Amino acid sequence: AAGMFLRLLSDIQWRAAHPKWRRMTSSQRSTSTTTESHPVSLPAQAQVVICGGGIMGTSVAYHLSKMGWKDVVLLEQGRLAAGTTRFCAGIVSTARPVSIELKMAHYSNKLYQQLEQETGVQTGYMKTGSISLAQTQDRLISLKRIASSLNVMGIPCEIISPKKVVQLHPLINIHDLVGAMYVPEDALVSSANVSLALATAASRNGVQIHERTSVSHVTVQKGRVTGVETDRGRIQCEYFVNCAGQWAYELGHSGEEAVHIPLHACEHFYLLTHPLKEPLSSSLPTIVDPDGRIYIRNWQGGILSGGFEKNPKPLFTEGRNQLEIQNLQEDWDHFGPLLSALLRRMPGLEALQIMQLVNCPESFTPDMRCIMGESPTARGYFVLAGMNSAGISYGGGAGKYLAEWMVNGYPSENVWPLDLKRFGTLQSSRTFLRHRVMEVMPLICDLKVPRWDFQTGRQLRTSPLYDRLDAQGARWMEKHGFERVKYFVPPGNDLLDLDHSKTFYKPDWFDIVGSEVKCCKEAVCVIDMSSFTKFEISSTGDQALESLQYLFSNDLDVPVGHVVHTGMLNEKGGYENDCSIARLSKRSFFMISPTDQQVHCWAWLKNRLPDDSNLTMEDVTWKYTALNLIGPRAVDVLSELSYAPMTAEHFPSLFCKEMSVGYANGIRVMSITHTGEPGFVLYIPIEYALHVYNEVMNMGQKYGIRNAGYYALRSLRIEKFFAFWGQDLDAFTTPMECGREFQVKLEKGMQFLGQEALLEQKQNGVYKRFTMFILEDHDTDMDLWPWWGEPIFRNGRYVGKTTSSAYSYTLERHVCLGFVHHFDEKTGEELVVTTDFINQGEYEIDIAGQRFQAKAKLYPFSSLFTQRRRKDEMELSGYQRE
C-alpha cells in the first residue's frame, strides 16, 4: 500500500541516521533462544513524560527542548508517527475561521518550511497554495470573512473568480461556482516525516524517545502528577502530557483521578489513485470544495481526495485499544457520495485507476475545536488532542503554545477557545460524544453562519422553568451544556421559518428581539439566567476575606449586603474571570461568574486558596434558579410581591438582600441586571423556582411583563458598552485596557494578584484600548451584519478586531466593541494607545471585505435614550461622558 510505502521509507531514512534507535525499538518478546538485544531501559525519573509519538507529541517534545527543558521522555505504544499521523492527508491550510487556530496553522506552516534544513530529514514540504471553492453566495461571504482575517495577519490571500480557478487548476469544473479564495502559501507535507523530523531535533536536544512502551495510567497525589506507570516500569515525573490522539479519552480515565478529555473517533476516508496519463504537476494547488464536502490534492502524479460525509461512522465507542491503527475496512458504498462529488468537480478523472481507498480514524471534539491545556483536577497533567482532522495544520503551533504553557505558566496567545477547562464532566459521556461527533464531522464542511447551534446532546442541563418557558415559545441555545433562551416566538409567527433563519444578513428574529428590548426599557422583562456559575466561599474566621482580597482586584471588604464587580486577575493583570461578589455575612461571599467559568474558575481558585479546613468553597450553581427582572417597572413588581419597599433609597444599586417573594423564603435579591438597565436578579432555591416565576408573571401582567432571552440582553449590554468575559475580556486583557480602573483597589495599599502589572500600565500607558464603534453608513436591512472578529481600520490602517457586536434598537444602528492597537507605521512595533489616538482617528469596520465608516467612543452614551429618536435627528457627537 502507498501509505505503508511512505511510512517504511521514512523509517529507513530516519533510523539509518539514528543507530541507537534500532536498540531502543527492538522487540520486547525476547526468549532464551533469541539473540535480539534488550531495549534501552526507561529512566527512573524525568521532569516531563509525553505519551504519544504522533505529530502532537513530537511537536511538544521539540518545543520543550527548544525552550530549554531537556529532561523529557516521549513514550509511544507502537512506532513513531504510526497512528492517525501516518494516514494524515498532509494538507497545511491556514484558512481557519477561529483566530487562534489560524495563528497555530500559520506558525506550523513557517516551522515545517525550515524543518528539513534544520534536521536533515526530508519532510516533503511543497508550497502549492490552496483554493477554497464557493458554490453559493453565502459560502463566498464566509470565505471573504476568512480572507479579511488572513490579510490583516499578513498572510497573502485573495478572492478570485471561477475563471482564475481554471487558470490555477485546469482540471477543475467551474460551471456551478460563484467564486473562490486563493491562499498561495498553503502547503503539502508528508505528515509522518514531519513528525520524525521533530523527533530527530528533540532527540538531538536531549529528549529520550522510547517506542513500544504503553502507558497504563498516571499517578496523582494531593492533586499533582507524581509519575507514570508503563508496561516497562514506572517513571517518576512532575509533568505528564497526554498526546494519545484517539486514545486520549481512555488514558484520561485510566487513573484513580479521572481527567475528562471529551473526544471520539470517526472513520475518515480518502482515495489514492495511480498517476494520470499526464501526471499532475506537484505544484498544483490543493482544492477544498466545502459545498461538495471534499478536498483534492496532488499525490505522486495522481490525486488524493477525501471528505466529510453527512453520515459519519463513529468507532471505538466501547473504548477498544490497539497499538497502531491497522487500515480499517474499505467501504465504497459509504464513500459513494464523496466520489460523485469528486467526479463532478474533476470530470476528467472518469478513466483514472484507483490505487486504494484509505479508511483511518480521526478524533473529533464536541465543539469542533481542539483540546489543549492543564487538567482542572490534576496539576501538571497537560493535554493536547482532538484535532478534528486538522492535526498537521495545527501541530506546530499547538505544540508551541502547550510548551509555553508548561514552561512559563501561560502561552503567548489567548488559547481559551481551545482550553480543556471549557468542558466539564458532563461532556464526557460516551453516548453524548458518539452522537455529537456524528454532527460535528459533517459540520466541518457545512456553512457556519453566526449563532448556529448544535442539535445533538441537548437538554442536558436545564432550568426548572425549561418546560414552562418552552411552552411559551422559547427558542434555545446551549452554553456549557446549559439550555438558555435566545428569544421567545410570539403566538402566530411561523415557528419553522424562525428555527431555520441562517444568514449573514438581517436575521428573522430582528423584530422579536426588538420588542423584547423595548419591553426591557419601558416596562419589565424576565430572563432566566440560571446557567451563570455560582460559588459560595466562607470561613470560620477572616480567612475567606483575606484570601479573596488577594485573588480579586476590587476591594471586597465592604458592608454586608453590598455587591462588588471585580476581576480575578493573573500575574500579568489579565482577566481570568470577571464576576460579581456579594458579601452575605462577615465571613461568607456569594460569587456570580459567566456560565463557561464553572470549571476554569473552580480550578483557578482551588489551586490558589490556602489549604485550610476552616475555609470552604462550594459550587452552588445547581442550587439556585436565577431570574433577571429588567426594566423600570421591575421595582413595582417586586415591591408588591414582597411587601417591602424596593426603591433606590431602600434598595440601592449593587445591593443584596435575602427576601420573601410570594410564599417563598430565602430569595437572594440583587440590584444588578448585567445590562446597565434598572432591575434585579433573583437567586431562588430551585424548589421555589416555579412558584416565584408564576407569581412574578401574574403580578407583572398589569405592568406589561413579558419573557425575554439572551439576544435582548446582548443588545442592551453592548449599547451600554458592557464587556463580557470570554467575548471581550480574556487572560490577556487588563482592567486598564478596558476603562475599568475604578474596579481596582490600586490606591488602597492592599496587595493583590496582578497588581504590579497594573501599576506598570498605569505609569507607562496601555498598548490596546477597548473601544465602542457605532456604524454610520451601514444599512441594517441590506448590508452584511457585523458579528465579531471583523478587522478595524484607523485612517486606512489595521489597528485591531471587533470582539462582539449587536444592533442597538435605541440608537437604531449597529454597535461593535473591540480593541484598538497602535502599530508603528514603519516597524510595526506596538506603541502606547492614548485617548487622543482613539479620538483623532477616522475608523472603518471591515465586514467580509466591505468597509463601513464608524464613530469611535471610549465611554457609553450618558442618556438612557428612554424615548427612541430617529436616525436623522440624532447627532452622534457631543454626548457627555457618563
Side-chain angles (χ1 to χ4, degrees), residues 249-275:
Y249 177 96
E250 277 78 27
L251 182 56
H253 279 257
S254 64
E256 292 175 13
E257 181 76 62
V259 173
H260 300 283
I261 304 165
L263 53 80
H264 196 294
C266 278
E267 296 182 29
H268 177 57
F269 296 88
Y270 62 77
L271 189 71
L272 292 170
T273 76
H274 288 286

Side-chain angles (χ1 to χ4, degrees), residues 806-852:
Y807 182 79
S808 165
Y809 294 88
T810 314
L811 301 173
E812 296 184 335
R813 303 192 184 195
H814 256 98
V815 176
C816 300
L817 308 182
F819 286 92
V820 171
H821 300 251
H822 184 183
F823 301 109
D824 185 280
E825 291 193 19
K826 291 176 182 171
T827 65
E829 180 191 356
E830 285 206 68
L831 305 174
V832 169
V833 177
T834 62
T835 305
D836 284 348
F837 179 80
I838 300 284
N839 291 336
Q840 290 168 10
E842 296 286 327
Y843 292 90
E844 294 170 302
I845 306 292
D846 177 323
I847 306 175
Q850 187 177 354
R851 295 189 190 180
F852 296 90

Side-chain angles (χ1 to χ4, degrees), residues 827-879:
T827 65
E829 180 191 356
E830 285 206 68
L831 305 174
V832 169
V833 177
T834 62
T835 305
D836 284 348
F837 179 80
I838 300 284
N839 291 336
Q840 290 168 10
E842 296 286 327
Y843 292 90
E844 294 170 302
I845 306 292
D846 177 323
I847 306 175
Q850 187 177 354
R851 295 189 190 180
F852 296 90
Q853 291 179 352
K855 175 87 176 172
K857 287 182 65 65
L858 283 171
Y859 302 97
F861 287 93
S862 54
S863 163
L864 284 175
F865 288 102
T866 45
Q867 296 188 344
R868 289 164 65 92
R869 307 179 185 189
R870 300 303 308 157
K871 278 187 209 173
D872 50 354
E873 294 171 357
M874 270 180 48
E875 178 55 51
L876 281 173
S877 59
Y879 285 103

Side-chain angles (χ1 to χ4, degrees), residues 15-76:
R15 282 169 173 72
H18 293 77
K20 68 173 183 175
W21 275 68
R22 289 196 291 275
R23 296 196 302 277
M24 280 190 198
T25 59
S26 59
S27 169
Q28 295 168 46
R29 295 189 299 274
S30 57
T31 68
S32 56
T33 57
T34 62
T35 56
E36 282 182 346
S37 58
H38 288 279
V40 174
S41 60
L42 296 182
Q45 61 184 60
Q47 184 182 12
V48 182
V49 173
I50 301 168
C51 176
I55 185 69
M56 294 302 147
T58 53
S59 179
V60 173
Y62 171 87
H63 287 96
L64 283 175
S65 67
K66 283 276 184 186
M67 295 181 74
W69 281 22
K70 312 287 189 185
D71 187 13
V72 177
V73 175
L74 187 150
L75 306 178
E76 164 54 47

